[in-house]
Amino acid sequence: MTLAIDLTGTVALVTGGSRGIGESIVRHLHAAGATVFFTYQSRSDLAERLAAELGDRAVSARCDAADSASLPDLVDACVSKFRGLHVLVNNAAIFATNPFDGGSFDAWRVGWRRTFDVNVFGAADLAWLAIRYMRAHGGGRIINIASRAAHRGELEHADYGASKAAIVNLTKSIARSCAADGILSFAVAPGFIETEMAAHDLELDRPKIVGEIPVGYVGRPDQVAPIVAFLASPLGSYLNGATIDVNGGSYVR
Ligand code: NAP
Protein backbone atom coordinates (compact mmCIF):
# COMPACT_ATOMS: atom_id res chain seq x y z
CA MET A 1 0.00 0.00 0.00
CA THR A 2 1.22 3.51 -0.76
CA LEU A 3 -0.14 6.45 1.14
CA ALA A 4 0.27 9.73 -0.71
CA ILE A 5 -1.83 12.68 -1.76
CA ASP A 6 -2.23 12.30 -5.50
CA LEU A 7 -4.35 14.91 -7.29
CA THR A 8 -3.34 13.99 -10.81
CA GLY A 9 -6.25 14.76 -13.14
CA THR A 10 -7.93 17.06 -10.61
CA VAL A 11 -8.84 20.62 -11.61
CA ALA A 12 -9.02 23.05 -8.71
CA LEU A 13 -10.31 26.62 -8.60
CA VAL A 14 -8.71 28.57 -5.73
CA THR A 15 -9.74 32.14 -4.90
CA GLY A 16 -7.17 34.54 -3.47
CA GLY A 17 -4.21 32.49 -4.67
CA SER A 18 -1.80 35.37 -5.22
CA ARG A 19 -0.37 35.44 -1.69
CA GLY A 20 -0.65 34.17 1.85
CA ILE A 21 -2.53 30.97 2.60
CA GLY A 22 -4.07 30.90 -0.88
CA GLU A 23 -0.67 30.96 -2.56
CA SER A 24 0.45 28.04 -0.41
CA ILE A 25 -2.75 26.15 -1.25
CA VAL A 26 -2.07 26.68 -4.96
CA ARG A 27 1.50 25.42 -4.53
CA HIS A 28 0.48 22.34 -2.53
CA LEU A 29 -2.38 21.33 -4.84
CA HIS A 30 -0.09 21.79 -7.83
CA ALA A 31 2.71 19.80 -6.20
CA ALA A 32 0.25 16.96 -5.61
CA GLY A 33 -0.47 16.87 -9.34
CA ALA A 34 -3.56 19.07 -9.63
CA THR A 35 -4.18 21.63 -12.34
CA VAL A 36 -4.93 24.93 -10.63
CA PHE A 37 -6.96 27.90 -11.82
CA PHE A 38 -6.42 30.57 -9.18
CA THR A 39 -7.50 34.15 -8.69
CA TYR A 40 -6.16 37.45 -7.43
CA GLN A 41 -7.91 40.73 -6.85
CA SER A 42 -5.25 43.41 -7.34
CA ARG A 43 -1.80 41.78 -7.18
CA SER A 44 -1.53 40.64 -10.79
CA ASP A 45 2.27 40.84 -10.45
CA LEU A 46 2.32 38.15 -7.76
CA ALA A 47 -0.26 35.99 -9.49
CA GLU A 48 1.45 36.09 -12.88
CA ARG A 49 4.81 35.30 -11.31
CA LEU A 50 3.36 32.31 -9.47
CA ALA A 51 1.58 31.00 -12.58
CA ALA A 52 4.77 31.37 -14.63
CA GLU A 53 6.79 29.55 -11.98
CA LEU A 54 4.34 26.64 -11.81
CA GLY A 55 4.01 26.25 -15.57
CA ASP A 56 1.26 24.86 -17.74
CA ARG A 57 -0.91 23.32 -14.98
CA ALA A 58 -1.53 26.76 -13.42
CA VAL A 59 -3.33 29.85 -14.63
CA SER A 60 -4.35 33.03 -12.82
CA ALA A 61 -7.34 35.28 -13.39
CA ARG A 62 -8.61 38.47 -11.81
CA CYS A 63 -11.67 38.18 -9.57
CA ASP A 64 -13.45 40.41 -7.09
CA ALA A 65 -15.46 37.93 -5.04
CA ALA A 66 -17.93 40.69 -4.23
CA ASP A 67 -18.76 41.17 -7.92
CA SER A 68 -21.30 38.38 -8.16
CA ALA A 69 -22.21 39.18 -11.78
CA SER A 70 -18.66 38.27 -12.84
CA LEU A 71 -18.53 34.90 -11.09
CA PRO A 72 -20.33 32.74 -13.69
CA ASP A 73 -17.70 33.81 -16.24
CA LEU A 74 -14.94 32.90 -13.80
CA VAL A 75 -16.24 29.36 -13.36
CA ASP A 76 -16.80 29.04 -17.10
CA ALA A 77 -13.25 30.23 -17.77
CA CYS A 78 -11.85 27.53 -15.47
CA VAL A 79 -13.99 24.82 -17.04
CA SER A 80 -13.18 25.84 -20.58
CA LYS A 81 -9.45 26.30 -19.92
CA PHE A 82 -8.91 23.00 -18.13
CA ARG A 83 -12.02 21.03 -19.19
CA GLY A 84 -13.31 20.46 -15.69
CA LEU A 85 -13.79 21.59 -12.12
CA HIS A 86 -13.37 19.07 -9.33
CA VAL A 87 -12.37 21.18 -6.34
CA LEU A 88 -13.39 24.70 -5.33
CA VAL A 89 -11.37 26.36 -2.57
CA ASN A 90 -13.11 29.49 -1.29
CA ASN A 91 -10.08 31.16 0.27
CA ALA A 92 -10.32 34.87 -0.63
CA ALA A 93 -11.47 37.08 2.22
CA ILE A 94 -11.00 40.46 3.82
CA PHE A 95 -10.37 41.34 7.47
CA ALA A 96 -10.77 44.97 8.50
CA THR A 97 -11.08 46.51 11.94
CA ASN A 98 -14.67 47.53 12.73
CA PRO A 99 -14.99 48.00 16.49
CA PHE A 100 -18.17 48.35 18.54
CA ASP A 101 -16.80 51.61 19.93
CA GLY A 102 -15.88 53.11 16.52
CA GLY A 103 -17.10 56.65 15.97
CA SER A 104 -18.99 56.26 12.70
CA PHE A 105 -22.22 54.36 12.15
CA ASP A 106 -21.63 54.62 8.40
CA ALA A 107 -18.23 52.95 8.75
CA TRP A 108 -19.84 50.16 10.81
CA ARG A 109 -22.54 49.54 8.20
CA VAL A 110 -20.15 49.69 5.26
CA GLY A 111 -17.71 47.35 7.01
CA TRP A 112 -20.34 44.68 7.64
CA ARG A 113 -21.68 44.85 4.12
CA ARG A 114 -18.28 44.78 2.41
CA THR A 115 -17.10 41.91 4.62
CA PHE A 116 -20.19 39.86 3.87
CA ASP A 117 -20.06 40.71 0.16
CA VAL A 118 -16.56 39.24 -0.15
CA ASN A 119 -16.35 36.60 2.56
CA VAL A 120 -19.87 35.17 2.47
CA PHE A 121 -21.75 36.11 -0.70
CA GLY A 122 -18.69 35.59 -2.92
CA ALA A 123 -18.09 32.15 -1.43
CA ALA A 124 -21.77 31.15 -1.53
CA ASP A 125 -22.16 32.30 -5.13
CA LEU A 126 -19.07 30.40 -6.26
CA ALA A 127 -20.22 27.33 -4.33
CA TRP A 128 -23.60 27.46 -6.08
CA LEU A 129 -21.98 27.77 -9.50
CA ALA A 130 -19.45 25.01 -8.79
CA ILE A 131 -22.13 22.70 -7.42
CA ARG A 132 -24.22 23.18 -10.54
CA TYR A 133 -21.24 22.05 -12.65
CA MET A 134 -20.13 19.27 -10.29
CA ARG A 135 -23.63 17.78 -10.06
CA ALA A 136 -23.64 17.26 -13.80
CA HIS A 137 -20.08 15.94 -13.93
CA GLY A 138 -19.68 13.29 -11.25
CA GLY A 139 -19.23 15.33 -8.07
CA GLY A 140 -16.42 17.25 -6.41
CA ARG A 141 -15.23 19.01 -3.28
CA ILE A 142 -16.03 22.45 -1.90
CA ILE A 143 -13.44 23.56 0.66
CA ASN A 144 -14.13 26.79 2.52
CA ILE A 145 -11.43 28.62 4.46
CA ALA A 146 -13.09 29.78 7.66
CA SER A 147 -11.29 30.98 10.81
CA ARG A 148 -10.96 30.46 14.53
CA ALA A 149 -12.99 33.67 14.67
CA ALA A 150 -16.06 31.71 13.51
CA HIS A 151 -16.16 29.94 16.85
CA ARG A 152 -14.54 32.38 19.23
CA GLY A 153 -16.00 35.73 18.19
CA GLU A 154 -13.79 38.74 17.51
CA LEU A 155 -13.38 41.84 19.66
CA GLU A 156 -12.76 44.37 16.89
CA HIS A 157 -13.81 42.34 13.85
CA ALA A 158 -17.33 41.15 14.70
CA ASP A 159 -18.31 41.32 11.04
CA TYR A 160 -15.36 39.10 10.08
CA GLY A 161 -16.14 36.53 12.79
CA ALA A 162 -19.79 36.43 11.78
CA SER A 163 -18.82 36.01 8.13
CA LYS A 164 -16.64 33.02 9.02
CA ALA A 165 -19.43 31.49 11.13
CA ALA A 166 -21.62 31.79 8.04
CA ILE A 167 -18.97 29.96 6.00
CA VAL A 168 -18.90 27.12 8.53
CA ASN A 169 -22.67 26.83 8.28
CA LEU A 170 -22.60 27.05 4.48
CA THR A 171 -20.18 24.12 4.56
CA LYS A 172 -22.61 22.05 6.65
CA SER A 173 -25.50 22.82 4.29
CA ILE A 174 -23.51 21.81 1.22
CA ALA A 175 -22.36 18.67 2.98
CA ARG A 176 -25.89 17.59 3.81
CA SER A 177 -27.56 18.74 0.60
CA CYS A 178 -25.07 17.68 -2.05
CA ALA A 179 -23.43 14.45 -0.88
CA ALA A 180 -25.96 12.42 -2.84
CA ASP A 181 -24.52 14.05 -5.97
CA GLY A 182 -20.98 13.11 -4.96
CA ILE A 183 -20.14 16.57 -3.65
CA LEU A 184 -18.43 16.76 -0.26
CA SER A 185 -17.72 19.94 1.65
CA PHE A 186 -15.26 20.89 4.39
CA ALA A 187 -14.14 23.99 6.21
CA VAL A 188 -10.64 24.74 7.45
CA ALA A 189 -10.42 27.17 10.36
CA PRO A 190 -6.95 28.64 10.86
CA GLY A 191 -5.83 30.60 13.88
CA PHE A 192 -3.22 33.34 13.43
CA ILE A 193 -1.08 32.62 10.35
CA GLU A 194 1.89 34.73 9.14
CA THR A 195 0.38 36.57 6.16
CA GLU A 196 -0.35 40.15 5.16
CA MET A 197 -3.86 39.75 6.58
CA ALA A 198 -2.51 39.11 10.07
CA ALA A 199 0.49 41.46 9.85
CA HIS A 200 -1.20 44.50 11.38
CA ASP A 201 -2.49 42.66 14.47
CA LEU A 202 0.84 40.87 14.89
CA GLU A 203 2.68 44.17 14.70
CA LEU A 204 0.42 45.66 17.39
CA ASP A 205 0.93 42.89 19.97
CA ARG A 206 2.74 39.75 18.84
CA PRO A 207 3.69 38.65 22.39
CA LYS A 208 0.04 38.66 23.51
CA ILE A 209 -1.05 36.72 20.43
CA VAL A 210 1.73 34.16 20.78
CA GLY A 211 0.95 33.89 24.49
CA GLU A 212 -2.48 32.50 23.58
CA ILE A 213 -1.02 29.80 21.30
CA PRO A 214 0.04 26.65 23.19
CA VAL A 215 2.56 25.55 20.53
CA GLY A 216 4.28 28.90 21.10
CA TYR A 217 4.41 30.47 17.65
CA VAL A 218 2.23 31.90 14.89
CA GLY A 219 1.42 29.37 12.17
CA ARG A 220 2.69 29.42 8.59
CA PRO A 221 0.66 29.12 5.38
CA ASP A 222 2.42 25.83 4.64
CA GLN A 223 0.89 24.42 7.83
CA VAL A 224 -2.62 25.08 6.49
CA ALA A 225 -2.25 24.21 2.81
CA PRO A 226 -1.45 20.48 3.22
CA ILE A 227 -4.75 20.04 5.08
CA VAL A 228 -6.53 21.48 2.07
CA ALA A 229 -4.62 19.14 -0.27
CA PHE A 230 -5.62 16.19 1.94
CA LEU A 231 -9.28 17.26 1.91
CA ALA A 232 -9.17 17.61 -1.88
CA SER A 233 -7.84 14.07 -2.22
CA PRO A 234 -9.57 10.68 -2.08
CA LEU A 235 -7.95 10.15 1.35
CA GLY A 236 -10.62 12.35 2.93
CA SER A 237 -13.57 10.62 1.30
CA TYR A 238 -15.61 9.83 4.43
CA LEU A 239 -15.23 13.29 5.93
CA ASN A 240 -18.13 15.58 5.11
CA GLY A 241 -19.32 18.81 6.68
CA ALA A 242 -16.43 18.91 9.17
CA THR A 243 -14.42 21.97 10.13
CA ILE A 244 -10.73 21.29 10.72
CA ASP A 245 -9.15 23.66 13.26
CA VAL A 246 -5.54 24.60 12.39
CA ASN A 247 -4.63 26.92 15.23
CA GLY A 248 -1.81 25.44 17.31
CA GLY A 249 -4.31 24.73 20.08
CA SER A 250 -5.18 28.38 20.60
CA TYR A 251 -8.89 27.55 20.53
CA VAL A 252 -9.87 24.00 21.33
CA ARG A 253 -13.53 23.17 20.84
P1 NAP B 1 -4.20 37.69 2.61
O1 NAP B 1 -2.77 37.50 2.87
O2 NAP B 1 -4.82 39.00 2.92
O3 NAP B 1 -4.53 37.33 1.08
C1 NAP B 1 -5.84 37.52 0.64
C2 NAP B 1 -6.03 36.95 -0.75
O4 NAP B 1 -7.39 37.22 -1.14
C3 NAP B 1 -5.16 37.61 -1.81
O5 NAP B 1 -4.89 36.67 -2.82
C4 NAP B 1 -6.07 38.73 -2.35
O6 NAP B 1 -5.76 39.10 -3.69
C5 NAP B 1 -7.42 38.05 -2.30
N1 NAP B 1 -8.52 38.99 -2.19
C6 NAP B 1 -8.61 40.08 -1.37
N2 NAP B 1 -9.79 40.70 -1.54
C7 NAP B 1 -10.45 40.02 -2.51
C8 NAP B 1 -11.70 40.16 -3.15
N3 NAP B 1 -12.52 41.19 -2.88
N4 NAP B 1 -12.06 39.26 -4.09
C9 NAP B 1 -11.24 38.24 -4.40
N5 NAP B 1 -10.03 38.05 -3.86
C10 NAP B 1 -9.64 38.92 -2.91
O7 NAP B 1 -5.07 36.62 3.42
P2 NAP B 1 -4.64 35.24 4.12
O8 NAP B 1 -4.15 35.53 5.46
O9 NAP B 1 -3.82 34.43 3.18
O10 NAP B 1 -6.09 34.57 4.30
C11 NAP B 1 -6.56 33.53 3.47
C12 NAP B 1 -7.80 32.94 4.10
O11 NAP B 1 -7.48 32.46 5.41
C13 NAP B 1 -8.94 33.94 4.30
O12 NAP B 1 -10.17 33.31 4.09
C14 NAP B 1 -8.79 34.34 5.76
O13 NAP B 1 -10.00 34.82 6.29
C15 NAP B 1 -8.36 33.02 6.36
N6 NAP B 1 -7.68 33.17 7.64
C16 NAP B 1 -6.48 33.80 7.74
C17 NAP B 1 -5.88 33.91 8.99
C18 NAP B 1 -4.54 34.58 9.18
O14 NAP B 1 -4.14 34.76 10.36
N7 NAP B 1 -3.82 34.95 8.14
C19 NAP B 1 -6.52 33.38 10.13
C20 NAP B 1 -7.73 32.75 9.99
C21 NAP B 1 -8.32 32.65 8.74
P3 NAP B 1 -4.61 40.22 -4.02
O15 NAP B 1 -3.30 39.60 -3.65
O16 NAP B 1 -4.72 40.45 -5.48
O17 NAP B 1 -4.93 41.41 -3.19
Side-chain angles (χ1 to χ4, degrees), residues 54 57 65 67 71 73 82 86 104 106 118 132 141-142 148 150 165 181 187 205-207 209 217 227 241 252:
L54 296 180
R57 281 188 291 111
D67 179 9
L71 298 180
D73 285 348
F82 292 130
H86 308 104
S104 158
D106 270 355
V118 177
R132 193 182 55 163
R141 307 274 165 108
I142 312 279
R148 180 183 75 172
D181 294 312
D205 203 346
R206 180 178 285 267
I209 288 168
Y217 64 95
I227 314 285
V252 179

Side-chain angles (χ1 to χ4, degrees), residues 98-186:
N98 195 6
F100 289 104
D101 58 1
S104 158
F105 178 53
D106 270 355
W108 170 261
R109 288 172 48 246
V110 169
W112 271 82
R113 278 153 187 76
R114 177 70 186 155
T115 298
F116 267 64
D117 275 344
V118 177
N119 296 11
V120 181
F121 304 142
D125 291 348
L126 278 172
W128 190 92
L129 292 162
I131 288 165
R132 193 182 55 163
Y133 177 86
M134 290 170 181
R135 271 206 168 115
H137 296 86
R141 307 274 165 108
I142 312 279
I143 303 171
N144 296 315
I145 307 303
S147 169
R148 180 183 75 172
H151 305 291
R152 202 174 73 140
E154 288 290 293
L155 305 183
E156 299 199 325
H157 308 82
D159 45 10
Y160 176 82
S163 76
K164 293 302 185 175
I167 285 298
V168 167
N169 202 271
L170 169 69
T171 303
K172 293 176 184 179
S173 290
I174 297 169
R176 296 186 62 215
S177 293
C178 304
D181 294 312
I183 301 166
L184 305 180
S185 189
F186 321 106

Side-chain angles (χ1 to χ4, degrees), residues 202-221:
L202 288 167
E203 205 176 290
L204 284 181
D205 203 346
R206 180 178 285 267
K208 180 169 176 288
I209 288 168
V210 172
E212 292 180 357
I213 305 173
V215 299
Y217 64 95
V218 174
R220 302 183 309 271

Side-chain angles (χ1 to χ4, degrees), residues 15-22 39-44 46 63-66 90-95 114 118-119 145-148 160 164 189-198:
T15 63
S18 45
R19 55 193 165 89
I21 294 170
T39 75
Y40 62 92
Q41 200 226 345
S42 58
R43 299 300 305 274
S44 56
L46 298 179
C63 153
D64 179 350
N90 273 317
N91 167 78
I94 56 170
F95 173 73
R114 177 70 186 155
V118 177
N119 296 11
I145 307 303
S147 169
R148 180 183 75 172
Y160 176 82
K164 293 302 185 175
F192 266 105
I193 305 295
E194 302 275 9
T195 70
E196 282 178 45
M197 180 179 279

